[in-house]
Amino acid sequence: MTRLFGPRRNPADISAEELARDAEQAERILAWSERAQAALDEVTGTGRAAGGQVTATVAADGKVLRVDIGERAMRLGSLQLAEEILAALRLAGLDAARRTEELVRESLPGFDPAGALAEFERLAAATWR
């Protein structure tokens, strides 16, 4: 995607070709998002902690779908068990995010979801005069 925004980008320097390319990319993303919503809704992530004795599964939106605790993990103190559960949930969230990004990258070649998010966050944090 063309970098249309930035601290030194003059809107007058944006060519018609750049605008057309970015409009085409935006249309592809919109069409893909409409088609892929079902696939995105199915993305889950799994995380394990406590030597595999705690397993968590989350949806891509972070919703906890399942937590399994093995018998050996039940021998842990309550604080340590809670920490292991949270660790498994964090890992599951990271796995779901990775799987979502893979799905986006496969479906939209050339689009960098992490880069787009970083640019959005940069623009959101920018001081506007």
Side-chain angles (χ1 to χ4, degrees), residues 25-105:
Q25 176 80 348
E27 287 177 21
R28 284 195 343 253
I29 290 170
L30 181 60
W32 171 81
S33 69
E34 290 169 355
R35 289 188 317 270
Q37 190 58 51
L40 288 170
D41 289 343
E42 296 297 317
V43 172
T44 62
T46 302
R48 291 181 177 74
Q53 287 295 301
V54 176
T55 303
T57 304
V58 300
D61 65 0
K63 178 181 176 184
V64 177
L65 301 174
R66 184 179 176 115
V67 175
D68 293 311
I69 302 170
E71 281 188 39
R72 283 187 280 153
M74 295 300 290
R75 297 181 193 142
L76 300 172
S78 61
L79 184 58
Q80 187 177 359
L81 179 58
E83 288 173 356
E84 296 293 344
I85 292 170
L86 290 173
L89 288 168
R90 277 191 299 275
L91 291 170
L94 290 171
D95 186 44
R98 179 190 57 77
R99 290 172 186 240
T100 299
E101 189 169 312
E102 283 177 3
L103 180 63
V104 171
R105 283 183 189 277

Side-chain angles (χ1 to χ4, degrees), residues 2-14:
T2 307
R3 185 180 172 120
L4 293 180
F5 304 102
R8 294 182 179 81
R9 187 69 190 224
N10 182 344
D13 294 336
I14 300 170

